[in-house]
Amino acid sequence: MAVTSALFDEWTTPFGLPPFAEIEVEQFAPAFDAAMTEARTNIDAIAGNAEPPTFANTIEAMERAEHRLDRVASVFFNLAGANTSDAIEALQRDLSPKLSAHSSATMMNAALFARVDALFEKRAELSLTAEQRRVLELYHRMFVRAGARLQGGDRERLTEVLSRLASLGTAFSQNVLADEKSWQMALAPEDLDGLPDFLIAAMAEAASERGHGGHVVTLSRSLIVPFLQFSRRRDLRERAFRAWVARGANGGATDNREIVAETLRLREERARLLGYPSFSAFKLDNEMAKTPDAVRALLMAVWTPARARALSDAARLEELMRGDGINGALEPWDWRFYSAIRQKLEHDLDEAEVKPYLELNHMIAAAFDVAGRLFGLDFRPIAAPLHHPDARAWEVRRGERHMGVFIGDYFARPSKRSGAWCSNFRIQSKLDGETRPIAINVCNFAKAPEGEPCLLTFDDARTLFHEFGHALHVLMSDVTYGFIAGTSVARDFVELPSQLYEHWLSTPEVLEAHARHAETGVPMPRDLLDRLLAARNYDQGFSTVEYVTSALVDLDFHAGAAPADPMAAQAATLARLDVPPAIVMRHATPHFAHVFSGDGYSSGYYSYMWSEVMDADAFSAFRETGDVFDPATARRLADNIYGAGGSRDEADLYVAFRGRMPGVEALLEQRGLTAA
């Protein structure tokens, strides 16, 4: 099939959006082949250039070399995550090792690395700008960490290892999605007793999407969590919970346990080929944390008070359960149900009372409003074909300046992987004129029936703000080189802009303006708003324990020799920690997509908490002024965090904003664990 203009030629669509209406799955394979061939030709020309290496003919040339490949890949992999199909999944399995081999051929091109290395060695003599020097240093580090200095059989073996890891990551993701798509639990009318109207409506919509009537619970977080909170049927809660935590561990073709074991063995081998004692040592050397010991120290500083709080809370929940005549142990499928009852008793707060004031469109408007008040951004709807009918787009402007395009894709569906994330279809750069980014947020909120408002939980709304914080990191990027644009920073720094942005959702200034009843438009009553904010740290023992256990299992997997039996190793870590029995890991190993769907968060799940140390302190910078929208503080935030990308060392960026690095105390105070 000939390469089509829809994917391969320059896009002439409004704002440079991908021409989704013209793209067909069959076009991707030839487009990838042609784009990889073009990229290889460009890279070989750089490596074989007879002229002495310069920043322009080597580094800037590499910035341009894979332009078309990047564009094709951005469309494909965004579709693979947000609106996949059997054909896309088959192509993804075929492409993963090919793209890995293409990357290895570039990173291990001896002539190309010789040029980069020569520039790096004489970088002090090159009259580079600070940004250029940073780009050169990061390129050099990327080549070295990818194996550019390896020789002979070690080079070949690393290429094989990386190719296999790419295939394993793809298989892991697809297996989890298959388990999520295949499971559903139909409910009879009598099973709906006690469930709030918003959940009943969402379960009816989920059943309709699957082609039948009635109501179903699926493994979408926005359905299963409220079901576990409100269902009085303990047997059904248990059935749903067991299916939720069993994703990737159900036996058969979609079981991920052998994939995990092989992945860990290959990661250890990769690290040792590159001269590191463990995969954690390799991975963290590139992060702010630097060492496994630093990560463990942070996590354990939080673990001790969190566990104490969780045990105290569990005792209270058991009392409530005894009141229902249940004398057995508090189980994981009981925690959310009795916690919701306890929250009502102690804080007079019921999620069903709150949700009508957290309608999706109102929360999108709230996120936009905060960006306007902090950074002067304006969001204007765009009518354009997108990758799915549920998605929508906005042009982002600052005054008369076009800043980029933001796409929101908010509803769960079987063709979308679970979770929430930010990605892009185009990154920002100024190398060849101004190129503005196209950012996308993908969430999995339960879709309401046609004509009814989509109501969010407070946790859903926080997720929306979190991912929008990532999008702002993409949209506000202001650098010359795409290599360091937006979220191209250390993994344990990249969560700072997103987690920091969550804070504004919890301010009276934002809730009073945007938390309005979905049907009447009446603002949330002040009494309810006060109760909501008073309960912001409710159940922090539970949420911290389920997070830290996942982070410590991830660290233990990678900080030493790869375990022969990862599930036994997971059990050993949990036993050593003496985890409260009614709390499970937030992400059990067979569906721990952060860690095993790719390399992004491997030995890096701790990064959410590392960033939280900074975000707790960073928001205090606004609090200290008496104005959560203080203009001077917002300008420092824009210049040094949201707009700076990876243009400077991450610690330097934070200090430039705040004047110092923070300690863990701000995090403990934020989570309400200081007195635990």
Side-chain angles (χ1 to χ4, degrees):
M1 182 179 188
V3 176
T4 65
S5 61
L7 279 169
F8 206 68
D9 290 346
E10 291 298 320
W11 298 336
T12 59
T13 49
F15 305 107
L17 284 165
F20 292 108
E22 303 170 34
I23 294 173
E24 299 176 358
V25 174
E26 293 77 13
Q27 298 168 356
F28 279 109
F32 267 110
D33 288 343
M36 278 192 278
T37 298
E38 178 186 77
R40 178 59 45 216
T41 298
N42 293 339
I43 291 164
D44 289 345
I46 298 168
N49 190 343
E51 296 292 324
T54 66
F55 189 86
N57 71 19
T58 302
I59 303 301
E60 289 185 347
M62 280 194 287
E63 284 281 286
R64 301 182 178 99
E66 297 187 338
H67 168 71
R68 221 183 300 256
L69 178 59
D70 290 341
R71 207 177 56 218
V72 173
S74 73
V75 178
F76 178 79
F77 286 104
N78 275 304
L79 287 178
N83 194 27
T84 193
S85 64
D86 290 345
I88 289 175
E89 290 191 347
L91 182 55
Q92 191 177 9
R93 291 191 292 271
D94 182 57
L95 280 171
S96 292
K98 290 181 180 179
L99 290 169
S100 176
H102 173 83
S103 176
S104 292
T106 300
M107 293 294 101
M108 297 187 192
N109 184 314
L112 182 62
F113 177 63
R115 296 178 71 86
V116 175
D117 198 37
L119 289 171
F120 180 77
E121 290 300 322
K122 61 178 183 179
R123 60 193 181 280
E125 309 163 20
L126 297 179
S127 300
L128 301 176
T129 66
E131 183 179 331
Q132 288 174 329
R133 180 161 176 158
R134 172 74 169 167
V135 168
L136 173 58
E137 290 169 350
L138 292 178
Y139 260 97
H140 186 266
R141 185 169 73 182
M142 176 180 68
F143 271 87
V144 171
R145 289 174 60 81
R149 285 185 168 148
L150 296 181
Q151 301 294 323
D154 286 349
R155 292 169 67 90
E156 295 174 5
R157 179 55 186 160
L158 184 59
T159 298
E160 294 170 356
V161 166
L162 293 173
S163 176
R164 180 60 179 159
L165 283 171
S167 295
L168 290 171
T170 296
F172 185 98
S173 297
Q174 293 184 357
N175 287 345
V176 174
L177 179 59
D179 280 1
E180 290 171 347
K181 287 165 60 177
S182 65
W183 190 89
Q184 61 184 28
M185 182 173 70
L187 300 180
E190 59 270 21
D191 300 332
L192 306 179
D193 182 44
L195 300 183
D197 291 344
F198 74 82
L199 179 57
I200 293 172
M203 293 190 302
E205 180 66 18
S208 176
E209 286 182 348
R210 284 156 179 75
H212 50 80
H215 302 80
V216 299
V217 179
T218 72
L219 297 182
S220 168
R221 189 177 189 90
S222 288
L223 278 183
I224 199 165
V225 168
F227 181 77
L228 292 170
Q229 287 175 316
F230 293 111
S231 176
R232 297 170 183 166
R233 289 283 302 276
R234 193 180 190 221
D235 58 330
L236 296 183
R237 296 200 311 266
E238 178 180 1
R239 181 179 165 194
F241 184 87
R242 288 189 181 280
W244 194 32
V245 299
R247 290 168 293 159
N250 288 304
T254 63
D255 197 294
N256 275 332
R257 285 170 286 193
E258 283 302 317
I259 288 176
V260 168
E262 185 179 356
T263 296
L264 293 174
R265 290 194 299 271
L266 291 176
R267 284 177 177 168
E268 181 190 5
E269 183 179 0
R270 175 188 180 187
R272 295 191 184 281
L273 283 168
L274 293 169
Y276 290 86
S278 69
F279 184 77
S280 271
F282 161 71
K283 192 70 183 293
L284 296 173
D285 187 48
N286 206 29
E287 306 293 338
M288 292 183 75
K290 298 303 181 187
T291 68
D293 287 345
V295 172
R296 195 177 302 279
L298 169 67
L299 294 173
M300 292 309 297
V302 178
W303 170 255
T304 301
R307 180 180 178 276
R309 175 65 55 79
L311 288 171
S312 173
D313 291 346
R316 178 70 180 111
L317 300 185
E318 285 187 344
E319 292 177 7
L320 295 173
M321 193 171 74
R322 300 288 179 266
D324 281 348
I326 301 173
N327 295 316
L330 181 74
E331 299 288 356
W333 47 89
D334 296 318
W335 190 292
R336 288 176 174 84
F337 179 75
Y338 286 103
S339 181
I341 294 173
R342 177 184 163 219
Q343 186 177 44
K344 178 67 174 174
L345 292 172
E346 296 182 3
H347 293 280
D348 192 21
L349 195 64
D350 185 341
E351 193 167 282
E353 181 185 9
V354 174
K355 282 193 76 165
Y357 295 95
L358 302 177
E359 192 270 334
L360 174 61
N361 290 315
H362 293 169
M363 292 300 99
I364 295 171
F368 289 175
D369 182 35
V370 171
R373 296 176 71 177
L374 286 173
F375 308 123
L377 300 180
D378 181 42
F379 297 81
R380 306 177 183 182
I382 296 171
L386 297 172
H387 62 283
H388 190 276
D390 284 344
R392 37 189 158 155
W394 294 263
E395 182 196 5
V396 186
R397 300 184 71 86
R398 179 186 283 143
E400 294 305 310
R401 184 187 179 197
H402 171 74
M403 297 292 291
V405 172
F406 172 67
I407 299 172
D409 181 356
Y410 295 108
F411 299 126
R413 53 180 172 267
S415 64
K416 182 190 286 188
R417 66 177 169 90
S418 61
W421 64 94
C422 177
S423 184
N424 67 78
F425 288 98
R426 188 174 65 215
I427 57 174
Q428 178 267 330
S429 77
K430 300 177 186 175
L431 181 57
D432 295 309
E434 182 81 0
T435 299
R436 296 309 306 173
I438 301 172
I440 178 171
N441 279 174
V442 184
C443 299
N444 271 278
F445 304 141
K447 189 175 183 181
E450 185 70 28
E452 295 188 22
C454 175
L455 305 181
L456 305 183
T457 65
F458 196 71
D459 188 56
D460 286 338
R462 189 160 42 229
T463 295
L464 186 150
F465 267 64
H466 178 100
E467 298 307 332
F468 190 68
H470 280 309
L472 289 177
H473 203 185
V474 175
L475 291 162
M476 294 174 63
S477 180
D478 188 21
V479 298
T480 300
Y481 300 96
F483 187 68
I484 56 169
T487 56
S488 58
V489 293
R491 179 62 64 183
D492 50 13
F493 186 82
V494 77
E495 295 299 334
L496 169 60
S498 54
Q499 292 179 184
L500 174 58
Y501 206 72
E502 294 177 31
H503 286 264
W504 277 276
L505 173 64
S506 298
T507 62
E509 293 89 336
V510 172
L511 289 173
E512 287 172 351
H514 297 283
R516 294 178 173 272
H517 197 280
E519 295 180 1
T520 67
V522 173
M524 180 183 287
R526 183 68 202 206
D527 172 64
L528 177 56
L529 188 151
D530 290 343
R531 285 183 278 133
L532 177 64
L533 295 181
R536 73 180 75 187
N537 282 323
Y538 178 74
D539 225 9
Q540 276 297 321
F542 171 86
S543 61
T544 306
V545 163
E546 66 164 6
Y547 166 79
V548 174
T549 51
S550 294
L552 284 168
V553 166
D554 170 40
L555 184 66
D556 285 353
F557 275 160
H558 296 102
D565 183 348
M567 299 308 295
Q570 172 185 293
T573 294
L574 299 179
R576 186 186 76 247
L577 292 170
D578 194 14
V579 179
I583 304 178
V584 302
M585 293 169 62
R586 182 172 297 176
H587 306 289
T589 295
H591 58 262
F592 204 165
H594 282 80
V595 174
F596 294 106
S597 285
D599 201 25
Y601 285 87
S602 54
S603 194
Y605 193 62
Y606 78 92
S607 60
Y608 289 94
M609 188 151 282
W610 190 276
S611 291
E612 190 177 346
V613 172
M614 291 181 283
D615 81 62
D617 179 65
F619 194 66
S620 294
F622 285 90
R623 292 283 194 199
E624 289 162 8
T625 71
D627 179 6
V628 296
F629 294 101
D630 178 63
T633 309
R635 280 194 298 273
R636 292 201 310 275
L637 185 64
D639 292 344
N640 298 295
I641 306 296
Y642 285 96
S647 58
R648 286 173 279 163
D649 176 80
E650 290 80 14
D652 291 343
L653 290 172
Y654 189 82
V655 171
F657 163 66
R658 190 66 167 111
R660 55 168 172 72
M661 289 297 290
V664 71
E665 296 78 17
L667 180 149
L668 292 172
E669 182 179 355
Q670 175 170 290
R671 287 188 171 236
L673 296 174
T674 50

